[in-house]
Amino acid sequence: QVQLVESGGGLVQAGGSLRLSCVASGRTFNNYRMGWFRQAPGKEREIVAAINWIGVATNYANSVKGRFTASRDNAGNTGFLQMNNLKPEDTAVYYCATDSTKWKTGTYDYWGQGTQVTVSS
């Protein structure tokens, strides 16, 4: 069982920045995908960005391209989501997720508890 813990959320003014972290316990992300998702009140959960099995960031949502950057550290057990030029519509609970097996595709298996990001106008 892998546990994921997100941190770094908070309240920020529009145009500001936040950096979210996702720490995996008991395992690294090497050879596993890591995804960042968000869910705003009354909306469905959507993918924000992902890091593939070899550590390449991909799957950026159109709404965050050019503003958000997904990465992970060299040790491989911490993922990051750098969020710049934040907008009120970025307000949501942000989750990280990963897989139970290497080189997996499709749905993610493990999810963090989420961290709230609130952007004021």
Side-chain angles (χ1 to χ4, degrees):
Q1 184 81 10
V2 175
Q3 290 191 331
L4 303 175
V5 178
E6 303 100 334
S7 62
L11 173 64
V12 64
Q13 288 188 333
S17 298
L18 285 173
R19 190 191 197 202
L20 305 184
S21 298
C22 174
V23 178
S25 63
R27 201 200 72 189
T28 71
F29 290 116
N30 295 331
N31 304 133
Y32 299 84
R33 295 176 305 168
M34 195 200 104
W36 285 100
F37 294 78
R38 67 185 180 186
Q39 187 166 21
K43 295 187 177 181
E44 292 188 354
R45 185 171 59 195
E46 63 173 348
I47 189 165
V48 176
I51 298 177
N52 68 12
W53 314 272
I54 59 173
V56 177
T58 184
N59 291 110
Y60 285 104
N62 287 333
S63 59
V64 307
K65 284 180 180 177
R67 300 188 297 122
F68 290 13
T69 303
S71 63
R72 70 182 191 201
D73 68 350
N74 289 334
N77 72 331
T78 303
F80 304 99
L81 185 66
Q82 178 67 43
M83 306 186 296
N84 297 328
N85 190 22
L86 282 160
K87 303 176 180 180
E89 51 264 41
D90 295 319
T91 294
V93 178
Y94 284 72
Y95 301 89
C96 64
T98 191
D99 297 317
S100 58
T101 56
K102 294 181 180 180
W103 312 108
K104 188 176 178 289
T105 61
T107 59
Y108 288 83
D109 302 303
Y110 300 122
W111 294 82
Q113 82 289 350
T115 185
Q116 176 70 46
V117 172
T118 303
V119 185
S120 63
S121 57

